[in-house]
Amino acid sequence: RPFGMAHPELARHVPVAASFKAEAATQYWLGDALLVAPIMDESDRRKVVLPAVHLRSWWTQKMVSAATLAGPATPTVVEPKLPLSQIPLYVREGAIIPLLRPSIDTLAPATDKGVDSFANDAGRLHALYVPGPKEQRDVYDGTKLGAAAAGKAINLAVTPGEEFTKGVEWEIWSAIKVKAVALGKTPADKTTASKAGTCVGCWWRDGGTIHIRMPPGTQTGVVLFDKSVQ
């Protein structure tokens, strides 16, 4: 959705001054979770208009706008210091973003054993969650993903669809120390990124991301932290 269509109240959908190169004119929302500000050419060190939405940088996970969701909608203008290889990209807090497994090479069928094909095997669904208010995301195959951060806990829920039948691996952005992870009434096994392998019903931390690998089927889970995540 063009930025101006999503936020007409800001009146920033056309360039308003030479000092703001193409200000918001080429920004857009990809769905309702990702705010994209494309770099149009090598000299385009653009400014980005951030609406009154809690956003985090895709690259650093850090909050880029402290705008409140209530009151006058005053945008924040930032100038990201990014290399040309990193497009200015921001994620709405509370968003659940379904992802394919990182190893996939192609969506098309493949006969080469060295090519990881989604058409050959949909495999496990990955779900990125940026802690925030309660959210539900419906995937095209009927899978339902639910997550909510409240106090010192994050609650997760999965109802499988027709294609992703091998479980879900959650990727949760949080640097807060985890006290425990449970899947249903069973404690999840803690491991490390290097030892995770094919484990199921396990969890580990990789930098600022917590990975939780749920078994197939309808599942619930809870992540307990040593301080509030919301």
Side-chain angles (χ1 to χ4, degrees), residues 38-216:
I39 297 295
M40 307 305 291
D41 59 65
E42 188 173 351
S43 63
D44 188 5
R45 296 299 184 180
R46 60 169 304 150
K47 289 179 170 64
V48 180
V49 179
L50 302 176
V53 176
H54 295 304
L55 297 167
R56 291 203 206 179
S57 165
W58 177 269
W59 305 107
T60 66
Q61 300 185 12
K62 293 182 179 179
M63 176 80 76
V64 293
S65 173
T68 61
L69 299 179
T74 302
T76 301
V77 180
V78 298
E79 186 171 3
K81 305 296 183 182
L82 295 172
L84 287 175
S85 60
Q86 293 182 349
I87 186 172
L89 180 63
Y90 308 96
V91 188
R92 172 178 58 79
E93 284 200 336
I96 298 174
I97 303 177
L99 300 167
L100 300 181
R101 63 184 179 276
S103 61
I104 285 183
D105 299 305
T106 178
L107 301 179
T111 56
D112 188 331
K113 293 183 179 180
V115 175
D116 190 1
S117 162
F118 172 76
N120 292 2
D121 178 15
R124 182 181 291 111
L125 178 66
H126 286 234
L128 171 65
Y129 176 55
V130 182
K134 183 178 180 180
E135 176 119 346
Q136 179 171 306
R137 180 70 65 185
D138 295 341
V139 185
Y140 73 92
D141 74 325
T143 298
K144 294 183 182 298
L145 303 169
K152 298 181 180 181
I154 290 177
N155 292 288
L156 307 170
V158 173
T159 301
E162 297 179 354
E163 193 153 21
F164 295 102
T165 59
K166 296 186 177 180
V168 172
E169 181 172 316
W170 289 90
E171 301 173 10
I172 301 173
W173 284 3
S174 179
I176 301 174
K177 183 178 179 180
V178 176
K179 294 180 64 177
V181 177
L183 301 178
K185 297 181 179 180
T186 304
D189 296 327
K190 184 179 180 180
T191 185
T192 63
S194 62
K195 296 180 180 179
T198 59
C199 73
V200 178
C202 56
W203 75 276
W204 67 95
R205 178 181 286 283
D206 185 5
T209 303
I210 302 160
H211 293 255
I212 302 170
R213 194 174 286 165
M214 286 184 167

